Amino acid sequence: MKVRRIVHNIATTDTAAAQRFYRDVLGLDLWMDHGWIATYGAHEQMDVQISFASEGGSGTPVPDLSIEVDDLDEVLERIGSAGMAIEYGPANEPWGVRRFYVRDPFGKLINILAHVSSEK
């Protein structure tokens, strides 16, 4: 038996609010919209990973979701254009990532990161 996919579900009464952050800022595609559920994704090969943490590293709170991107500066620009507040960072961390924290429209703390060697 192999796990094929892990889906993170976020409870909301406003599924359209996800579009502003997950599509417009992060560039994910809308895969499904039934009115009561909207699913965003990317057709990229991704690793399956679940982390369990007592802190988020560098003394930060544990984020609800971590999203690795290929160009952190571009996402920072989009976050700024969207008028969203950065809660932590951007910071170069001792474990080899550059990252920042932002809240999505549902109040979830999102850790957006790029491995230092994978940035443009």
Short mmCIF file of all heavy atoms in Angstrom, two decimals, residues 42-107:
data_model
loop_
_atom_site.label_atom_id
_atom_site.label_comp_id
_atom_site.label_asym_id
_atom_site.label_seq_id
_atom_site.Cartn_x
_atom_site.Cartn_y
_atom_site.Cartn_z
N ALA A 42 -1.39 22.04 -8.59
CA ALA A 42 -0.40 22.22 -9.65
C ALA A 42 -0.03 20.85 -10.19
O ALA A 42 0.02 19.88 -9.44
CB ALA A 42 0.84 22.93 -9.11
N HIS A 43 0.19 20.79 -11.47
CA HIS A 43 0.60 19.52 -12.08
C HIS A 43 2.12 19.42 -12.05
O HIS A 43 2.78 19.42 -13.08
CB HIS A 43 0.06 19.41 -13.51
CG HIS A 43 -1.41 19.25 -13.56
ND1 HIS A 43 -2.05 18.09 -13.19
CD2 HIS A 43 -2.39 20.12 -13.89
CE1 HIS A 43 -3.36 18.25 -13.32
NE2 HIS A 43 -3.59 19.47 -13.73
N GLU A 44 2.64 19.35 -10.85
CA GLU A 44 4.08 19.21 -10.61
C GLU A 44 4.29 17.93 -9.82
O GLU A 44 3.44 17.54 -9.03
CB GLU A 44 4.62 20.39 -9.79
CG GLU A 44 4.45 21.75 -10.42
CD GLU A 44 5.37 21.98 -11.59
OE1 GLU A 44 6.47 21.38 -11.62
OE2 GLU A 44 4.98 22.73 -12.50
N GLN A 45 5.42 17.29 -10.01
CA GLN A 45 5.77 16.15 -9.18
C GLN A 45 6.12 16.68 -7.80
O GLN A 45 6.98 17.53 -7.67
CB GLN A 45 6.96 15.40 -9.78
CG GLN A 45 7.38 14.20 -8.99
CD GLN A 45 6.33 13.10 -8.97
OE1 GLN A 45 5.64 12.87 -9.94
NE2 GLN A 45 6.19 12.44 -7.84
N MET A 46 5.42 16.23 -6.78
CA MET A 46 5.66 16.70 -5.42
C MET A 46 5.87 15.52 -4.49
O MET A 46 5.32 14.44 -4.70
CB MET A 46 4.47 17.52 -4.92
CG MET A 46 4.24 18.79 -5.69
SD MET A 46 2.88 19.72 -4.95
CE MET A 46 2.51 20.83 -6.28
N ASP A 47 6.65 15.75 -3.46
CA ASP A 47 6.85 14.74 -2.43
C ASP A 47 5.71 14.79 -1.42
O ASP A 47 5.14 15.85 -1.17
CB ASP A 47 8.17 14.98 -1.70
CG ASP A 47 9.38 14.84 -2.62
OD1 ASP A 47 9.34 13.96 -3.51
OD2 ASP A 47 10.34 15.59 -2.45
N VAL A 48 5.38 13.65 -0.86
CA VAL A 48 4.39 13.58 0.21
C VAL A 48 5.14 13.74 1.52
O VAL A 48 6.13 13.06 1.77
CB VAL A 48 3.66 12.22 0.18
CG1 VAL A 48 2.75 12.08 1.38
CG2 VAL A 48 2.88 12.09 -1.12
N GLN A 49 4.66 14.66 2.35
CA GLN A 49 5.37 14.93 3.60
C GLN A 49 4.38 15.44 4.65
O GLN A 49 3.53 16.27 4.35
CB GLN A 49 6.43 15.99 3.34
CG GLN A 49 7.28 16.35 4.51
CD GLN A 49 8.39 17.33 4.11
OE1 GLN A 49 8.86 17.31 2.98
NE2 GLN A 49 8.78 18.16 5.04
N ILE A 50 4.49 14.94 5.86
CA ILE A 50 3.74 15.46 7.01
C ILE A 50 4.77 15.70 8.11
O ILE A 50 5.55 14.80 8.42
CB ILE A 50 2.68 14.47 7.52
CG1 ILE A 50 1.67 14.14 6.43
CG2 ILE A 50 1.97 15.02 8.74
CD1 ILE A 50 0.69 13.06 6.81
N SER A 51 4.77 16.89 8.67
CA SER A 51 5.72 17.23 9.72
C SER A 51 4.99 17.43 11.04
O SER A 51 3.87 17.94 11.06
CB SER A 51 6.48 18.51 9.36
OG SER A 51 7.23 18.33 8.18
N PHE A 52 5.64 17.06 12.12
CA PHE A 52 5.11 17.23 13.47
C PHE A 52 6.14 18.05 14.23
O PHE A 52 7.30 17.66 14.31
CB PHE A 52 4.87 15.88 14.13
CG PHE A 52 3.91 15.04 13.33
CD1 PHE A 52 4.37 14.20 12.32
CD2 PHE A 52 2.55 15.12 13.57
CE1 PHE A 52 3.49 13.45 11.57
CE2 PHE A 52 1.66 14.36 12.82
CZ PHE A 52 2.13 13.54 11.81
N ALA A 53 5.73 19.21 14.78
CA ALA A 53 6.71 20.14 15.34
C ALA A 53 6.24 20.76 16.64
O ALA A 53 5.04 20.98 16.83
CB ALA A 53 6.99 21.24 14.31
N SER A 54 7.18 21.08 17.49
CA SER A 54 6.88 21.79 18.73
C SER A 54 7.05 23.30 18.56
O SER A 54 6.63 24.07 19.40
CB SER A 54 7.79 21.29 19.87
OG SER A 54 9.14 21.52 19.55
N GLU A 55 7.70 23.71 17.46
CA GLU A 55 7.82 25.11 17.08
C GLU A 55 8.07 25.15 15.58
O GLU A 55 8.30 24.13 14.96
CB GLU A 55 8.95 25.82 17.84
CG GLU A 55 10.34 25.33 17.45
CD GLU A 55 11.44 26.31 17.84
OE1 GLU A 55 11.72 27.23 17.03
OE2 GLU A 55 12.00 26.14 18.93
N GLY A 56 8.02 26.35 15.01
CA GLY A 56 8.22 26.50 13.58
C GLY A 56 9.66 26.73 13.16
O GLY A 56 9.94 26.97 12.01
N GLY A 57 10.59 26.66 14.11
CA GLY A 57 11.99 26.94 13.84
C GLY A 57 12.28 28.40 14.09
O GLY A 57 11.43 29.26 13.89
N SER A 58 13.48 28.69 14.57
CA SER A 58 13.89 30.05 14.91
C SER A 58 12.93 30.71 15.90
O SER A 58 12.72 31.92 15.86
CB SER A 58 14.05 30.91 13.66
OG SER A 58 15.09 30.41 12.84
N GLY A 59 12.29 29.89 16.75
CA GLY A 59 11.40 30.41 17.77
C GLY A 59 10.04 30.87 17.27
O GLY A 59 9.30 31.51 17.99
N THR A 60 9.69 30.51 16.04
CA THR A 60 8.40 30.92 15.46
C THR A 60 7.31 29.91 15.80
O THR A 60 7.60 28.76 16.14
CB THR A 60 8.51 31.05 13.93
OG1 THR A 60 8.78 29.75 13.37
CG2 THR A 60 9.59 32.03 13.52
N PRO A 61 6.03 30.32 15.67
CA PRO A 61 4.95 29.34 15.87
C PRO A 61 4.94 28.31 14.74
O PRO A 61 5.44 28.57 13.64
CB PRO A 61 3.69 30.20 15.83
CG PRO A 61 4.07 31.52 15.29
CD PRO A 61 5.55 31.67 15.40
N VAL A 62 4.36 27.16 15.02
CA VAL A 62 4.24 26.12 14.00
C VAL A 62 3.23 26.59 12.95
O VAL A 62 2.09 26.92 13.28
CB VAL A 62 3.77 24.79 14.62
CG1 VAL A 62 3.55 23.74 13.54
CG2 VAL A 62 4.76 24.30 15.66
N PRO A 63 3.64 26.66 11.68
CA PRO A 63 2.69 27.07 10.63
C PRO A 63 1.68 25.97 10.36
O PRO A 63 1.94 24.79 10.59
CB PRO A 63 3.59 27.30 9.42
CG PRO A 63 4.78 26.43 9.65
CD PRO A 63 4.97 26.37 11.14
N ASP A 64 0.52 26.38 9.85
CA ASP A 64 -0.52 25.42 9.48
C ASP A 64 -0.16 24.67 8.20
O ASP A 64 -0.56 23.53 8.01
CB ASP A 64 -1.85 26.14 9.27
CG ASP A 64 -2.37 26.74 10.57
OD1 ASP A 64 -2.65 25.96 11.50
OD2 ASP A 64 -2.47 27.97 10.65
N LEU A 65 0.59 25.33 7.34
CA LEU A 65 0.90 24.77 6.03
C LEU A 65 2.22 25.36 5.56
O LEU A 65 2.46 26.55 5.76
CB LEU A 65 -0.22 25.13 5.04
CG LEU A 65 -0.22 24.58 3.64
CD1 LEU A 65 -0.33 23.06 3.66
CD2 LEU A 65 -1.38 25.17 2.85
N SER A 66 3.08 24.55 4.97
CA SER A 66 4.31 25.03 4.36
C SER A 66 4.23 24.81 2.86
O SER A 66 3.82 23.73 2.41
CB SER A 66 5.53 24.29 4.91
OG SER A 66 5.74 24.63 6.27
N ILE A 67 4.59 25.84 2.10
CA ILE A 67 4.53 25.77 0.65
C ILE A 67 5.89 26.15 0.10
O ILE A 67 6.37 27.28 0.32
CB ILE A 67 3.44 26.70 0.08
CG1 ILE A 67 2.07 26.29 0.62
CG2 ILE A 67 3.48 26.71 -1.45
CD1 ILE A 67 0.94 27.22 0.23
N GLU A 68 6.53 25.21 -0.59
CA GLU A 68 7.83 25.49 -1.21
C GLU A 68 7.60 26.05 -2.62
O GLU A 68 6.80 25.50 -3.38
CB GLU A 68 8.68 24.22 -1.29
CG GLU A 68 10.05 24.49 -1.86
CD GLU A 68 10.93 23.24 -1.94
OE1 GLU A 68 10.59 22.20 -1.34
OE2 GLU A 68 11.97 23.33 -2.62
N VAL A 69 8.29 27.12 -2.94
CA VAL A 69 8.18 27.76 -4.25
C VAL A 69 9.56 27.82 -4.91
O VAL A 69 10.58 27.65 -4.25
CB VAL A 69 7.58 29.18 -4.14
CG1 VAL A 69 6.16 29.13 -3.57
CG2 VAL A 69 8.46 30.09 -3.30
N ASP A 70 9.57 28.07 -6.21
CA ASP A 70 10.85 28.16 -6.92
C ASP A 70 11.41 29.58 -6.95
O ASP A 70 12.58 29.77 -7.25
CB ASP A 70 10.74 27.60 -8.34
CG ASP A 70 9.80 28.40 -9.23
OD1 ASP A 70 9.09 29.29 -8.73
OD2 ASP A 70 9.78 28.12 -10.44
N ASP A 71 10.59 30.60 -6.65
CA ASP A 71 11.05 31.99 -6.68
C ASP A 71 10.40 32.77 -5.54
O ASP A 71 9.30 33.31 -5.70
CB ASP A 71 10.71 32.61 -8.04
CG ASP A 71 11.34 33.97 -8.26
OD1 ASP A 71 11.66 34.66 -7.26
OD2 ASP A 71 11.51 34.37 -9.42
N LEU A 72 11.07 32.81 -4.42
CA LEU A 72 10.51 33.45 -3.24
C LEU A 72 10.32 34.95 -3.45
O LEU A 72 9.34 35.53 -2.98
CB LEU A 72 11.42 33.20 -2.02
CG LEU A 72 10.78 33.50 -0.68
CD1 LEU A 72 9.76 32.42 -0.33
CD2 LEU A 72 11.82 33.59 0.41
N ASP A 73 11.24 35.60 -4.16
CA ASP A 73 11.13 37.03 -4.40
C ASP A 73 9.87 37.38 -5.18
O ASP A 73 9.21 38.38 -4.90
CB ASP A 73 12.37 37.57 -5.13
CG ASP A 73 13.60 37.54 -4.25
OD1 ASP A 73 13.46 37.73 -3.02
OD2 ASP A 73 14.71 37.34 -4.78
N GLU A 74 9.51 36.56 -6.15
CA GLU A 74 8.28 36.79 -6.92
C GLU A 74 7.05 36.69 -6.02
O GLU A 74 6.14 37.50 -6.11
CB GLU A 74 8.17 35.82 -8.08
CG GLU A 74 6.93 36.07 -8.92
CD GLU A 74 6.81 35.13 -10.12
OE1 GLU A 74 7.81 34.51 -10.52
OE2 GLU A 74 5.68 35.03 -10.65
N VAL A 75 7.03 35.70 -5.13
CA VAL A 75 5.89 35.55 -4.23
C VAL A 75 5.84 36.73 -3.26
O VAL A 75 4.77 37.26 -2.99
CB VAL A 75 5.93 34.20 -3.47
CG1 VAL A 75 4.75 34.10 -2.51
CG2 VAL A 75 5.93 33.04 -4.45
N LEU A 76 6.98 37.16 -2.76
CA LEU A 76 7.02 38.34 -1.88
C LEU A 76 6.45 39.56 -2.59
O LEU A 76 5.70 40.34 -2.00
CB LEU A 76 8.46 38.62 -1.43
CG LEU A 76 8.96 37.80 -0.26
CD1 LEU A 76 10.48 37.90 -0.16
CD2 LEU A 76 8.29 38.23 1.02
N GLU A 77 6.78 39.72 -3.86
CA GLU A 77 6.25 40.83 -4.66
C GLU A 77 4.73 40.74 -4.78
O GLU A 77 4.02 41.73 -4.61
CB GLU A 77 6.89 40.79 -6.05
CG GLU A 77 6.95 42.10 -6.76
CD GLU A 77 7.78 41.97 -8.04
OE1 GLU A 77 9.02 41.93 -7.94
OE2 GLU A 77 7.15 41.89 -9.12
N ARG A 78 4.23 39.55 -5.04
CA ARG A 78 2.78 39.34 -5.16
C ARG A 78 2.07 39.58 -3.83
O ARG A 78 0.97 40.14 -3.81
CB ARG A 78 2.48 37.93 -5.67
CG ARG A 78 2.88 37.72 -7.12
CD ARG A 78 2.56 36.31 -7.54
NE ARG A 78 2.95 36.04 -8.91
CZ ARG A 78 2.60 34.96 -9.57
NH1 ARG A 78 1.84 34.03 -9.00
NH2 ARG A 78 2.99 34.79 -10.82
N ILE A 79 2.69 39.15 -2.74
CA ILE A 79 2.12 39.37 -1.40
C ILE A 79 2.02 40.87 -1.14
O ILE A 79 1.00 41.36 -0.66
CB ILE A 79 2.99 38.68 -0.32
CG1 ILE A 79 2.91 37.16 -0.44
CG2 ILE A 79 2.62 39.16 1.08
CD1 ILE A 79 1.61 36.53 -0.04
N GLY A 80 3.09 41.61 -1.48
CA GLY A 80 3.08 43.06 -1.30
C GLY A 80 2.02 43.72 -2.15
O GLY A 80 1.28 44.60 -1.68
N SER A 81 1.89 43.31 -3.41
CA SER A 81 0.87 43.87 -4.32
C SER A 81 -0.54 43.58 -3.83
O SER A 81 -1.45 44.37 -4.05
CB SER A 81 1.04 43.30 -5.73
OG SER A 81 2.27 43.72 -6.28
N ALA A 82 -0.72 42.45 -3.16
CA ALA A 82 -2.02 42.08 -2.63
C ALA A 82 -2.32 42.77 -1.29
O ALA A 82 -3.41 42.63 -0.75
CB ALA A 82 -2.12 40.56 -2.46
N GLY A 83 -1.34 43.51 -0.76
CA GLY A 83 -1.54 44.23 0.50
C GLY A 83 -1.58 43.33 1.72
O GLY A 83 -2.15 43.70 2.74
N MET A 84 -0.96 42.16 1.62
CA MET A 84 -0.96 41.21 2.73
C MET A 84 0.24 41.47 3.63
O MET A 84 1.31 41.84 3.15
CB MET A 84 -0.94 39.78 2.19
CG MET A 84 -2.12 39.49 1.27
SD MET A 84 -2.03 37.86 0.54
CE MET A 84 -2.72 36.91 1.87
N ALA A 85 0.06 41.27 4.92
CA ALA A 85 1.12 41.51 5.90
C ALA A 85 1.99 40.27 6.09
O ALA A 85 1.48 39.17 6.26
CB ALA A 85 0.52 41.92 7.23
N ILE A 86 3.28 40.47 6.06
CA ILE A 86 4.24 39.41 6.37
C ILE A 86 4.33 39.33 7.90
O ILE A 86 4.54 40.34 8.57
CB ILE A 86 5.63 39.73 5.78
CG1 ILE A 86 5.56 39.95 4.26
CG2 ILE A 86 6.64 38.65 6.16
CD1 ILE A 86 5.25 38.74 3.46
N GLU A 87 4.19 38.13 8.46
CA GLU A 87 4.24 37.97 9.92
C GLU A 87 5.62 37.60 10.42
O GLU A 87 5.93 37.78 11.59
CB GLU A 87 3.22 36.94 10.38
CG GLU A 87 1.81 37.43 10.16
CD GLU A 87 0.80 36.73 11.04
OE1 GLU A 87 1.19 36.01 11.98
OE2 GLU A 87 -0.39 36.92 10.77
N TYR A 88 6.47 37.05 9.55
CA TYR A 88 7.84 36.68 9.92
C TYR A 88 8.66 36.67 8.64
O TYR A 88 8.22 36.17 7.62
CB TYR A 88 7.87 35.30 10.57
CG TYR A 88 9.28 34.76 10.79
CD1 TYR A 88 10.06 35.25 11.81
CD2 TYR A 88 9.81 33.81 9.93
CE1 TYR A 88 11.36 34.78 12.00
CE2 TYR A 88 11.09 33.32 10.11
CZ TYR A 88 11.88 33.82 11.15
OH TYR A 88 13.15 33.35 11.33
N GLY A 89 9.87 37.22 8.73
CA GLY A 89 10.78 37.18 7.60
C GLY A 89 10.57 38.30 6.62
O GLY A 89 9.88 39.27 6.92
N PRO A 90 11.14 38.16 5.44
CA PRO A 90 11.87 36.97 4.97
C PRO A 90 13.17 36.78 5.75
O PRO A 90 13.83 37.74 6.14
CB PRO A 90 12.14 37.26 3.49
CG PRO A 90 12.00 38.73 3.34
CD PRO A 90 11.09 39.21 4.42
N ALA A 91 13.50 35.52 5.96
CA ALA A 91 14.68 35.17 6.74
C ALA A 91 15.42 34.02 6.08
O ALA A 91 14.80 33.09 5.56
CB ALA A 91 14.27 34.78 8.16
N ASN A 92 16.73 34.11 6.11
CA ASN A 92 17.59 32.99 5.71
C ASN A 92 17.83 32.15 6.95
O ASN A 92 18.40 32.64 7.93
CB ASN A 92 18.91 33.49 5.14
CG ASN A 92 18.74 34.20 3.83
OD1 ASN A 92 17.94 33.79 2.99
ND2 ASN A 92 19.46 35.28 3.63
N GLU A 93 17.36 30.91 6.92
CA GLU A 93 17.43 30.06 8.09
C GLU A 93 18.67 29.17 8.04
O GLU A 93 19.15 28.81 6.95
CB GLU A 93 16.17 29.19 8.18
CG GLU A 93 14.87 29.98 8.26
CD GLU A 93 14.68 30.74 9.57
OE1 GLU A 93 15.59 30.78 10.42
OE2 GLU A 93 13.58 31.30 9.75
N PRO A 94 19.19 28.78 9.22
CA PRO A 94 20.41 27.99 9.27
C PRO A 94 20.28 26.59 8.65
O PRO A 94 21.28 25.95 8.36
CB PRO A 94 20.74 27.91 10.76
CG PRO A 94 19.53 28.33 11.50
CD PRO A 94 18.71 29.16 10.55
N TRP A 95 19.05 26.13 8.40
CA TRP A 95 18.88 24.80 7.78
C TRP A 95 18.76 24.88 6.27
O TRP A 95 18.37 23.92 5.61
CB TRP A 95 17.71 24.04 8.41
CG TRP A 95 16.40 24.78 8.41
CD1 TRP A 95 15.45 24.76 7.41
CD2 TRP A 95 15.90 25.64 9.42
NE1 TRP A 95 14.39 25.55 7.75
CE2 TRP A 95 14.64 26.12 9.00
CE3 TRP A 95 16.39 26.06 10.65
CZ2 TRP A 95 13.88 27.00 9.75
CZ3 TRP A 95 15.61 26.94 11.39
CH2 TRP A 95 14.38 27.39 10.94
N GLY A 96 19.10 26.04 5.68
CA GLY A 96 19.22 26.12 4.23
C GLY A 96 18.01 26.59 3.46
O GLY A 96 17.92 26.33 2.26
N VAL A 97 17.07 27.25 4.11
CA VAL A 97 15.92 27.79 3.40
C VAL A 97 15.82 29.30 3.64
O VAL A 97 16.31 29.82 4.64
CB VAL A 97 14.57 27.12 3.80
CG1 VAL A 97 14.59 25.64 3.53
CG2 VAL A 97 14.20 27.42 5.23
N ARG A 98 15.20 29.97 2.71
CA ARG A 98 14.80 31.37 2.87
C ARG A 98 13.28 31.32 2.91
O ARG A 98 12.65 30.65 2.07
CB ARG A 98 15.29 32.20 1.70
CG ARG A 98 15.00 33.68 1.85
CD ARG A 98 15.85 34.49 0.86
NE ARG A 98 15.45 35.87 0.91
CZ ARG A 98 14.79 36.51 -0.05
NH1 ARG A 98 14.50 35.88 -1.17
NH2 ARG A 98 14.44 37.76 0.09
N ARG A 99 12.66 32.02 3.87
CA ARG A 99 11.23 31.86 4.04
C ARG A 99 10.59 33.08 4.68
O ARG A 99 11.27 33.95 5.21
CB ARG A 99 10.92 30.63 4.89
CG ARG A 99 11.35 30.83 6.34
CD ARG A 99 11.05 29.62 7.16
NE ARG A 99 11.44 29.80 8.55
CZ ARG A 99 10.84 29.24 9.56
NH1 ARG A 99 9.81 28.44 9.37
NH2 ARG A 99 11.26 29.43 10.79
N PHE A 100 9.25 33.08 4.64
CA PHE A 100 8.47 34.07 5.37
C PHE A 100 7.13 33.45 5.74
O PHE A 100 6.72 32.44 5.16
CB PHE A 100 8.30 35.37 4.57
CG PHE A 100 7.48 35.24 3.32
CD1 PHE A 100 6.10 35.46 3.34
CD2 PHE A 100 8.07 34.91 2.11
CE1 PHE A 100 5.34 35.35 2.18
CE2 PHE A 100 7.33 34.80 0.95
CZ PHE A 100 5.96 35.02 0.99
N TYR A 101 6.46 34.07 6.71
CA TYR A 101 5.13 33.65 7.12
C TYR A 101 4.12 34.72 6.72
O TYR A 101 4.38 35.91 6.85
CB TYR A 101 5.04 33.51 8.64
CG TYR A 101 5.66 32.28 9.28
CD1 TYR A 101 6.37 31.33 8.56
CD2 TYR A 101 5.52 32.09 10.65
CE1 TYR A 101 6.92 30.23 9.18
CE2 TYR A 101 6.07 30.98 11.28
CZ TYR A 101 6.77 30.07 10.54
OH TYR A 101 7.31 28.97 11.17
N VAL A 102 2.97 34.26 6.26
CA VAL A 102 1.84 35.13 5.93
C VAL A 102 0.56 34.37 6.29
O VAL A 102 0.58 33.13 6.35
CB VAL A 102 1.88 35.51 4.43
CG1 VAL A 102 1.67 34.29 3.54
CG2 VAL A 102 0.89 36.61 4.10
N ARG A 103 -0.51 35.09 6.55
CA ARG A 103 -1.80 34.42 6.82
C ARG A 103 -2.62 34.40 5.55
O ARG A 103 -2.69 35.39 4.82
CB ARG A 103 -2.57 35.16 7.92
CG ARG A 103 -1.85 35.06 9.24
CD ARG A 103 -2.77 34.75 10.38
NE ARG A 103 -1.96 34.63 11.59
CZ ARG A 103 -1.79 33.50 12.26
NH1 ARG A 103 -2.40 32.41 11.85
NH2 ARG A 103 -1.03 33.47 13.33
N ASP A 104 -3.24 33.26 5.27
CA ASP A 104 -4.13 33.18 4.12
C ASP A 104 -5.46 33.84 4.49
O ASP A 104 -5.63 34.29 5.63
CB ASP A 104 -4.27 31.73 3.64
CG ASP A 104 -5.16 30.85 4.48
OD1 ASP A 104 -5.73 31.32 5.49
OD2 ASP A 104 -5.29 29.67 4.14
N PRO A 105 -6.42 33.94 3.57
CA PRO A 105 -7.69 34.61 3.88
C PRO A 105 -8.49 33.96 5.00
O PRO A 105 -9.44 34.55 5.51
CB PRO A 105 -8.47 34.54 2.56
CG PRO A 105 -7.44 34.31 1.51
CD PRO A 105 -6.33 33.56 2.17
N PHE A 106 -8.11 32.76 5.40
CA PHE A 106 -8.86 32.03 6.42
C PHE A 106 -8.15 32.05 7.78
O PHE A 106 -8.54 31.35 8.70
CB PHE A 106 -9.09 30.59 5.95
CG PHE A 106 -9.56 30.56 4.52
CD1 PHE A 106 -8.69 30.20 3.50
CD2 PHE A 106 -10.84 30.97 4.18
CE1 PHE A 106 -9.11 30.21 2.18
CE2 PHE A 106 -11.25 30.99 2.87
CZ PHE A 106 -10.39 30.62 1.87
N GLY A 107 -7.07 32.84 7.87
CA GLY A 107 -6.33 32.97 9.12
C GLY A 107 -5.29 31.90 9.35
O GLY A 107 -4.66 31.86 10.40
#
